[in-house]
Amino acid sequence: MTSLTHCHAFFDFQDTGVGKSSIVCRFVQDHFDHNISPTIGASFMTKTVPCGNELHKFLIWDTAGQERFHSLAPMYYRGTAAAVIVYDITKQDSFHTLKKWVKELKEHGPENIVMAIAGNKCDLSDIREVPMKDAKEYAESIGAIVVETSAKNAVNIEELFQGISQQIPPLDPHENSNNGAIKLGRQTSQTGRRCC
Ligand code: GDP
């Protein structure tokens, strides 16, 4: 018997253009769109992946980067199990903005939130502005997962979500804590098949 765990990943309000939507699209649909349209507000997708004997269902909010949506951020990160914070390895500014969002999550996010940092566009490493060493040191200092990804070339996307899956603690089936935002639950399933 395989159990299905509903977990929830939240994509931060990082600057538009770092590749958040492309990462979600690659993960959920294994597709890359060069002309992907910008996210307005937030979009929502799900994908279930096997993790050991369990199935983990990701409920993913891909949130818009524009400043005008900043005040909506707590609506998405409240009650969430994990946050993926994306920067663009070719844009130092995006790495600074990432730190701002980590600070906000630490101060106002759920206590045990799993944080994952994704340095996207690693296919453009010849024009990189953010050394991998800096990202690793920073991630270590805040206890976050870190990985360099390329949504374009499908590099480390599965690994990013597998890493999160492994760190999210199993949910208590008797606990029905839904503090007004995200519902987390656990149910049994007979199948180990992947689905979106
Ligand atoms: P978002 O605003 O953070 O959601 O970013 P998007 O997913 O809309 O992507 C912004 C731009 O970056 C688009 O033109 C994408 O085609 C491009 N892009 C996204 N991921 C990658 C990547 O891994 N490599 C490269 N070279 N371009 C990417």
Side-chain angles (χ1 to χ4, degrees):
M1 187 168 63
T2 316
S3 59
L4 176 65
T5 303
H6 290 257
C7 49
H8 180 257
F10 154 81
F11 272 72
D12 82 323
F13 280 48
Q14 183 56 281
D15 291 338
T16 300
V18 294
K20 297 184 302 296
S21 304
S22 299
I23 289 175
V24 177
C25 189
R26 172 63 76 187
F27 176 57
V28 174
Q29 297 168 339
D30 197 16
H31 173 72
F32 180 77
D33 180 357
H34 283 274
N35 302 309
I36 194 162
S37 30
T39 310
I40 309 292
S43 71
F44 176 72
M45 288 198 221
T46 70
K47 178 163 171 167
T48 303
V49 294
C51 182
N53 289 331
E54 297 194 322
L55 291 179
H56 283 195
K57 183 170 186 179
F58 282 91
L59 316 176
I60 305 168
W61 285 101
D62 173 18
T63 55
Q66 295 92 334
E67 187 59 33
R68 67 182 191 273
F69 295 117
H70 189 148
S71 61
L72 299 179
M75 221 169 74
Y76 297 102
Y77 62 64
R78 192 185 309 136
T80 201
V84 181
I85 310 150
V86 185
Y87 70 96
D88 176 345
I89 68 155
T90 73
K91 301 249 160 38
Q92 187 65 249
D93 280 359
S94 71
F95 192 57
H96 290 309
T97 310
L98 170 143
K99 292 179 180 175
K100 207 177 76 184
W101 284 106
V102 168
K103 189 166 176 281
E104 167 147 355
L105 280 169
K106 288 245 175 229
E107 285 171 6
H108 305 291
E111 209 177 318
N112 297 320
I113 192 167
V114 173
M115 281 203 241
I117 293 176
N120 193 41
K121 307 195 186 180
C122 69
D123 55 289
L124 300 178
S125 62
D126 49 332
I127 52 164
R128 103 164 36 236
E129 286 184 3
V130 184
M132 181 60 192
K133 184 173 148 285
D134 292 4
K136 271 194 171 151
E137 278 173 11
Y138 178 66
E140 211 168 285
S141 74
I142 59 162
I145 297 166
V146 63
V147 67
E148 285 197 348
T149 57
S150 168
K152 184 179 177 187
N153 292 351
V155 175
N156 280 340
I157 305 295
E158 290 285 331
E159 288 79 357
L160 169 66
F161 288 90
Q162 283 292 344
I164 293 168
S165 261
Q166 284 158 13
Q167 289 215 2
I168 290 177
L171 296 170
D172 180 349
H174 303 297
E175 190 180 298
N176 191 18
S177 74
N178 175 19
N179 55 3
I182 309 300
K183 202 190 277 177
L184 297 172
R186 187 186 184 102
Q187 65 191 52
T188 55
S189 158
Q190 301 299 324
T191 168
R193 196 163 52 91
R194 269 176 202 227
C195 61
C196 293

